[in-house]
Amino acid sequence: MACGKEVAKEVEWRIKVEEEEEEDTLKRRVVGCMWAATAGVALKVWRFVKKAWELGVNDPRKFIHCLKVGIALSLVSLFYYWKPLYDGVGGNAMWAVMTVVVVFEYTAGATISKTVNRMCGTSLAGFLGIGVHWVASRAGEQFEPIIIGISLFLLASAATFSRFIPTIKARFDYGAMIFILTFCLVSISGYRVDELLAMAQYRMFTIIIGSILCIIVSVTIRPIWAGFELFVLVTGNLDKLANSLQCCVAQYFDGSETSDEESDNKVSEKELLGYKCVLSSKATEEAMANLARWEPGHGRFNFRHPWRQYVKIGASMRSCASCLDALIGCINSDNKASDEMKNNMRSISMKVGANSASVIRELATTMRNLTKSSKLDILVTEMNCAAQELRSLLSSYPNLVNASSHNAKCSAQTETTTSSDIPQAAKIEIPLMQIIQVITVASLLIEIVARVEGIVETVEELSDLANFRPEMCVKSKQHSPDNKISPDQQINEETERTLQMV
C-alpha cells in the first residue's frame, strides 16, 4: 500500500510538473508573439516617420504650409478664447474656424480663389435668402412655405446648372456650391428662426473674417505661388522635351543603347522618357493657370501676367511630344533597318535632332529669364535648313542606297545600257521592309521640326504679351581704329542705362 501511495504521488508530481512546463511554454509563446507584434508595429511606425521626414526634407514648403495652417487656426480660435471677441460674434465663431479649415490651400492662388468664392457665394446667398424671407413673410402664413420652396427650387437648380458652364466651372465652381448651401440654410432656417437677419449677419461676418485671415497668412508667410509653380513646370517640361528628343535620335542612329555602364543607361532611359511628363501635365497646367489668375503681382510677374498663354505653350509641347512618342514607337518596332541604311541618314538626322533640341532649350532659357533671345532666330534658321537637307535627302533616298550598296552592279549596268533616260532606282530593287523604318523616322523628324516652330510661335506670343526685356549681351567694348563706338554697342549701352534707371 505504501509503495502504491508513493507511486501515485510521484505520478501526480510529474503531472503537475508537466502542466507547469506547458503553462510556462504557453506564456513564453504569448509573450514572444506580443513582442513580435509590438516590434512589427514599431518598425512600421518608424518607416512611416522616416518617409514623412524625407518628404518634408525634400520639399520644406510642406512643413511651412502645415505651420501656416496651425497659425491661422490659432489666430481664429481667439474668437472663442477671448471673451470680448466671443461676445461680439456669439456662437457663430465656429463658422470662422470652419472657414479656415475648408479654404486654406497649399498655394496662395488656391487659397485666394476659395476665399473669394466663399465670401461672394455666402454674401449673395445671404442677401437673396433674407429678401425671399421678407417677401414670403408678407404673403401670409399660408403662402410663405410655397414661396420659399419655389424660390429654393429655382435658385438651386439655376446655380447647379451654372456649374456645368466651362467658364463658371473653371473659376467659380466652389462659389456656386457655397451659394446653394448658404441659401438652403438661410431660407430653411428662416422659416423657424425669428431673428434671421441677426443670424445671417453674424455668420457672414465670421466667414469674412476667417477668409481674410487665410489670405493674410497665406500671402505674407512664405507664400507658395501657383503662378511660379506653373512657370517652373512649363520651363522644366521644355528641358525634358529637348533631352528626350536628342536622346531618342542619338540612341537610334548612334547606337547608345549598347553602353556598357549601367548608370549611363539609367540616365539615358530617364531622359528618353522625360517627354511623358509633358503628355501628362495638361490637367495640372490648366488648374495652375486658373489659380494663378487670382494671385496679385509677385516677383517678376505682374498683376495681369498672361498665365493662359502657358496653357497654349503646354498644348504645343504636347503636340510635339505626341509626335516624339510615335517616333519612339517606330524605333522600338520589330522591323529593323540595316546599319548601312542608318548610316546614309545618320549625320543629317542627328543634326536635325540636335538643332531642334537647341531651339527648345533656348526657348526654356528665354522663358526662365523673361527675356527675348537674340540667337533664337539663328537657331530656328539652322533647324529649318537641317530639315530641308533631310527632306532633300529623303526624296533622293533610293538613288543614295543604290549608289552606296550596289556600286559595282550600277557601273556594269551603266556600261551595257543603251537608254540613259531610265533612272537607276528603277533598275535596282530595294527591300521595302528595310527602308520603311528609316523613311518613317526621317518623316517624323521633319514633322517634329514643324511642331517645334509652333512652340516658338507660342513663346514669342508670350514674350509680346508679358513684355519680355531684350536680352542683355555683356560684351567688352571694342573700338574701331578711329576710336568710334559701333551703333550696335551704343544701342546696347543706352538700353542697359535705361534698365538700370528703371
Side-chain angles (χ1 to χ4, degrees), residues 136-168:
S137 61
R138 295 296 185 275
E141 296 182 357
Q142 184 177 1
F143 295 99
E144 182 177 1
I146 298 176
I147 295 176
I148 293 176
I150 293 175
S151 63
L152 180 62
F153 170 77
L154 294 176
L155 291 176
S157 301
T160 303
F161 179 78
S162 68
R163 299 180 65 185
F164 293 104
I165 302 174
T167 305
I168 302 297

Side-chain angles (χ1 to χ4, degrees), residues 454-466:
I455 303 177
V456 173
E457 293 177 359
T458 54
V459 174
E460 288 181 346
E461 185 178 354
L462 173 66
S463 65
D464 294 335
L465 295 174

Side-chain angles (χ1 to χ4, degrees), residues 86-133:
Y86 182 80
D87 293 338
V89 297
N92 293 290
M94 183 56 67
W95 287 94
V97 178
M98 292 175 59
T99 300
V100 173
V101 174
V102 171
V103 306
F104 208 109
E105 295 290 339
Y106 181 68
T107 61
T111 302
I112 296 173
S113 173
K114 294 191 75 172
T115 51
V116 173
N117 273 273
R118 188 174 181 87
M119 287 190 295
C120 294
T122 301
S123 302
L124 181 60
F127 289 132
L128 286 177
I130 293 173
V132 169
H133 175 73

Side-chain angles (χ1 to χ4, degrees), residues 151 404 406 496:
S151 63
S404 62
H406 304 282
E496 184 177 359

Side-chain angles (χ1 to χ4, degrees), residues 168-189:
I168 302 297
K169 186 175 182 59
R171 303 191 66 182
F172 305 105
D173 183 70
Y174 183 72
M177 183 182 66
I178 293 299
F179 173 85
I180 298 171
L181 176 62
T182 304
F183 185 79
C184 291
L185 291 176
V186 172
S187 59
I188 294 174
S189 61

Side-chain angles (χ1 to χ4, degrees), residues 397-472:
Y397 188 72
N399 293 329
L400 180 64
V401 174
N402 292 333
S404 62
S405 61
H406 304 282
N407 191 15
K409 187 175 180 180
C410 288
S411 61
Q413 287 181 349
T414 304
E415 294 176 358
T416 58
T417 301
T418 57
S419 176
S420 59
D421 296 332
I422 301 176
Q424 264 186 344
K427 306 170 189 176
I428 304 299
E429 294 182 358
I430 303 173
L432 180 60
M433 297 307 296
Q434 294 184 11
I435 195 176
I436 190 171
Q437 188 189 61
V438 178
I439 293 178
T440 304
V441 170
S443 301
L444 287 173
L445 284 175
I446 295 173
E447 181 63 24
I448 287 175
V449 170
R451 300 193 181 191
V452 170
E453 289 183 348
I455 303 177
V456 173
E457 293 177 359
T458 54
V459 174
E460 288 181 346
E461 185 178 354
L462 173 66
S463 65
D464 294 335
L465 295 174
N467 297 322
F468 283 4
R469 298 174 302 172
E471 187 178 20
M472 300 299 298

